[in-house]
Amino acid sequence: MPVRSPLYLLERFDPGVVELDRELRVVAMNSLARRVLPVEDKEPFEKMVLSFHPERSVAKVKFLLDQAECPVSNPPPMTMIINIPERVLLIKVTKLSDLRGDTTGYTLIFYDITELVSGEAPVQPAMPASLSAEKPAPVKRQLHKIPTVSQNRIVLVDVQTVTYIRSEGHYTWVSTAQGASFCNLNISDLAERLDGASFLRIHRSYLANLDFAEQILRDEGRISLKLRGETTPLPVARTSVSRLLEQLGIGEADPLRL
């Protein structure tokens, strides 16, 4: 799988551009940003950029803006999922200054990589005639590649190679046989967009690929899951035990007693 570098994105994708003033209000967008972002629903113009983002994304956007103020840092692009419509975006923010060096505003640049990392969009089920006038629920596309960050590059990890995902605040670490990679997406975003037949949220901090399940362990009442290729078992929350057994095909009548 070739590395999808920022240069690759520059060559293949048109950027979306959003202009912010000094108070972080949206003042302008290019045509691509208008098409991709929920402009009609959110009516973002003249509003603070943080006010119309989903609550789980606010901390990430604030982090981006804070990084733009640092003259020595050069953070890699952030990866975010925008709820309406469901898009996966790589986002970068840069500060604008006047002749004196005073901040006049910010430019937010993004690349829409949804088609690069997602499978086919699921078909929206037919709605009863009585509900046809209502807005349909957002369609959530499954990821078949997870965008991770490595040395200022975006590396796309094949989902089937992932053994588990560990949460770290608003971000995650994606583990494969080659090691762990940092991902800007949070564990809830990933859990919603990975194949539920393989991936299970076994703990608030862990999302396990059950295709790698090898052992279920019990130690002083605590349940853990050993995955093939991993040396340390993952904790399983008590509320997730029954779901884990069900997905592994272990019924109550089986000899396993947990």
Side-chain angles (χ1 to χ4, degrees):
M1 173 67 197
V3 173
R4 302 306 191 186
S5 66
L7 178 59
Y8 171 87
L9 296 174
L10 284 172
E11 292 173 342
R12 179 168 176 178
F13 296 98
D14 292 328
V17 180
V18 180
E19 291 287 337
L20 309 176
D21 66 14
R22 188 174 178 179
E23 283 71 41
L24 306 181
R25 293 186 297 254
V26 177
V27 295
M29 294 183 182
N30 72 344
S31 58
L32 179 68
R34 287 175 177 270
R35 292 198 305 271
V36 172
L37 301 177
V39 174
E40 292 184 6
D41 289 342
K42 300 298 183 181
E43 299 180 349
F45 292 99
E46 301 303 323
K47 293 181 182 178
M48 274 197 65
V49 69
L50 297 178
S51 68
F52 54 84
H53 279 276
E55 184 177 351
R56 65 187 180 187
S57 298
V58 167
K60 291 185 180 182
V61 177
K62 188 175 186 305
F63 173 78
L64 273 173
L65 296 168
D66 290 343
Q67 289 293 306
E69 286 293 336
C70 179
V72 297
S73 66
N74 184 31
M78 300 288 285
T79 314
M80 296 180 65
I81 289 182
I82 303 300
N83 281 343
I84 307 172
E86 294 293 342
R87 312 302 295 174
V88 182
L89 308 179
L90 293 180
I91 303 176
K92 190 88 169 182
V93 175
T94 186
K95 179 176 67 173
L96 302 176
S97 303
D98 62 15
L99 182 64
R100 297 183 300 273
D102 297 331
T103 301
T104 59
Y106 303 85
T107 298
L108 184 152
I109 302 172
F110 67 85
Y111 294 94
D112 183 356
I113 62 168
T114 307
E115 306 301 328
L116 198 61
V117 301
S118 302
E120 293 295 325
V123 177
Q124 188 74 263
M127 299 181 67
S130 60
L131 300 177
S132 58
E134 298 181 10
K135 179 178 287 188
V139 175
K140 297 184 178 180
R141 302 174 60 136
Q142 284 196 345
L143 296 177
H144 60 77
K145 296 181 185 296
I146 300 176
T148 66
V149 175
S150 177
Q151 298 179 344
N152 209 34
R153 298 180 302 170
I154 302 301
V155 178
L156 304 180
V157 177
D158 290 327
V159 166
Q160 61 266 32
T161 69
V162 175
T163 51
Y164 72 94
I165 296 167
R166 176 175 62 85
S167 174
E168 187 172 292
H170 297 287
Y171 312 105
T172 48
W173 288 90
V174 178
S175 293
T176 68
Q178 284 68 47
S181 302
F182 179 77
C183 179
N184 296 122
L185 300 177
N186 66 43
I187 196 168
S188 295
D189 286 334
L190 291 172
E192 289 177 356
R193 291 162 182 83
L194 294 175
D195 184 1
S198 296
F199 285 86
L200 177 66
R201 185 85 174 267
I202 60 172
H203 185 276
R204 65 180 181 179
S205 298
Y206 291 94
L207 182 62
N209 185 349
L210 300 187
D211 294 341
F212 289 85
E214 193 172 66
Q215 299 177 36
I216 299 175
L217 309 173
R218 179 175 182 176
D219 182 19
E220 297 182 354
R222 296 187 180 89
I223 305 301
S224 57
L225 177 66
K226 172 71 169 57
L227 299 175
R228 186 174 67 255
E230 299 291 342
T231 57
T232 304
L234 305 181
V236 180
R238 289 187 177 275
T239 54
S240 299
V241 172
S242 59
R243 177 73 183 277
L244 172 63
L245 298 179
E246 179 184 350
Q247 284 202 217
L248 292 175
I250 303 173
E252 294 182 359
D254 290 305
L256 181 62
R257 293 292 182 264
L258 298 176

